[in-house]
Amino acid sequence: MRSTSVVAAIATFFLCGEAAVAQRGMGGTQIKAGEVCPPGTTEVRPRNCMAPEIAAPSILDYRPKSTLVVPAHMVKMAKYPAIDFHGHPQGLLGTAEGLASLGAALDSLNVRMMVSADNMSGERLKSTIASVNASPKMKDRVRILAGISFQNVGPGWAEKAIAQLEADVAAGAVGVGEIGKGLGLSTRKPDGSRLKIDDPALDPIWDACARLRLPVFIHTADPEEFFKPLDYSNERWLEQALFPQRRYPQDRFPSFDELMTERNNLFRRHPKTTFVAAHMGWQANDLAKLGKLLDELPNVYTEIGAVLYDIGRQPHGAHDFFVKYQNRLLFGKDSFQPPEYPYYWRVLETRDEYFDYYRGYHAFWKLYGIDLPDSVLQKVYFRNALKITPRLPREGWPGGR
Ligand SMILES: [Zn+2]
């Protein structure tokens, strides 16, 4: 009897709760299964939508402070010396003062080497390399990728591009890149048609990269959400609202899938050429798909810059992925903002939970550490870059596996 009355009491309590909601929620809206709540309301009980009693803030102004108390380990310097394979040093390579400030910033982060991915070629490449070589402190800490111009692709283009690439390698370039997203998205052929990433006219240059042992660092497309309708279900709504040039309306641009297909065709057609897909190929939000690509094509590597928000929101899956593909991943940062590097160290090296990302408009969620083993960290930080780039200075890196 007693237990029956407890059940009755609990039932009464919940019924009262429901009754209170129903009362409070006058204006509350009932929806059918599968329907979403009308704008300005949220589902407070199954199929019952309610509006807040006070005006809701915009997503710009809502900045809740986490009340979660958990251990926090800030990591200022990488555990092992790192190679930033996706460097954009913003003009710092051209002068002694610039190089000194770059060196000081890299020292404070334990980034031992920056690979500049600014598409340099010809005289600009030569003068930049001369400037780096004149710096006793930085001459072994900066290396340069050569750019390829995709203007006027047609008869005679490949011979000229290969000759320029050979000259750039003779001047000291260590690889190619970064091949920008313009290839695929916007670059046109002389007849006005879109230059596809897998256009056969480009084949000779990729074969030349294999012959010259140059890794090709390539950025294809952008996050898939940039290609999708800009509605309130779009995960990158805020970013696209802030930066309209990041939207790729589908009446004017190829689709994300089309670009991925062209890119993968390119990788597949040149098995002797080493490709490094920037930004985890924009597939860090679908690691199974990225893993399939890496399984199929042993000539493909990938770089982890600017997708930390995807790595750090799936700590278990990302941990397993990094361990499984530990020979195929390279550290890179992209935008050179020294205060942002420690977020990478923290995600890769710690088990910290639920901490902020550095750029709120990319990701409104928190990050978790993926706690990589030391041997994997070493590969991601420097070993894999050394392995695929024979022209990088080889002295002075930590030994062991
Ligand atoms: Zn870049």
Side-chain angles (χ1 to χ4, degrees), residues 66-76 342-343 345-347 349-356 366-369:
S66 169
T67 56
L68 183 70
V69 180
V70 282
H73 305 87
M74 311 312 279
V75 189
K76 282 195 188 143
Y343 290 82
W345 316 148
R346 192 178 183 194
V347 166
E349 297 179 19
T350 80
R351 288 167 51 85
D352 282 2
E353 299 182 288
Y354 199 74
F355 54 90
D356 284 327
K366 306 276 183 181
L367 305 186
Y368 299 80

Side-chain angles (χ1 to χ4, degrees), residues 2 17 39 58 75 80 88 96 117 144 152 156 169 200 219 232 244 246 277 297 305 313 333 339-340 350 370 384 392:
R2 185 172 292 176
S58 93
V75 189
Y80 300 101
H88 292 297
I144 317 277
N152 298 315
V169 171
H219 172 159
Y232 288 176
R246 296 188 188 178
L297 301 169
R313 68 167 158 169
K333 172 64 181 69
E340 294 175 351
T350 80
I370 70 169
N384 292 337
L392 289 183

Side-chain angles (χ1 to χ4, degrees), residues 85-147:
F85 203 80
H86 192 163
H88 292 297
Q90 299 176 338
L92 294 176
L93 305 184
T95 64
E97 302 75 49
L99 283 162
S101 82
L102 178 66
L106 297 186
D107 285 346
S108 73
L109 301 162
N110 200 20
V111 175
R112 169 137 175 241
M113 189 178 294
M114 177 174 273
V115 175
S116 162
D118 278 337
N119 270 313
M120 283 189 234
S121 187
E123 283 313 307
R124 182 166 164 238
L125 176 86
K126 277 189 194 159
S127 68
T128 304
I129 289 175
S131 169
V132 170
N133 284 343
S135 165
K137 178 176 162 151
M138 297 302 285
K139 69 177 169 40
D140 286 329
R141 298 188 58 189
V142 174
R143 285 297 179 270
I144 317 277
L145 302 182

Side-chain angles (χ1 to χ4, degrees), residues 86-88 117-118 178 217 219 278-279 303 333-335:
H86 192 163
H88 292 297
D118 278 337
E178 88 182 82
F217 183 49
H219 172 159
H279 309 300
E303 173 267 343
K333 172 64 181 69
D334 197 359
S335 168

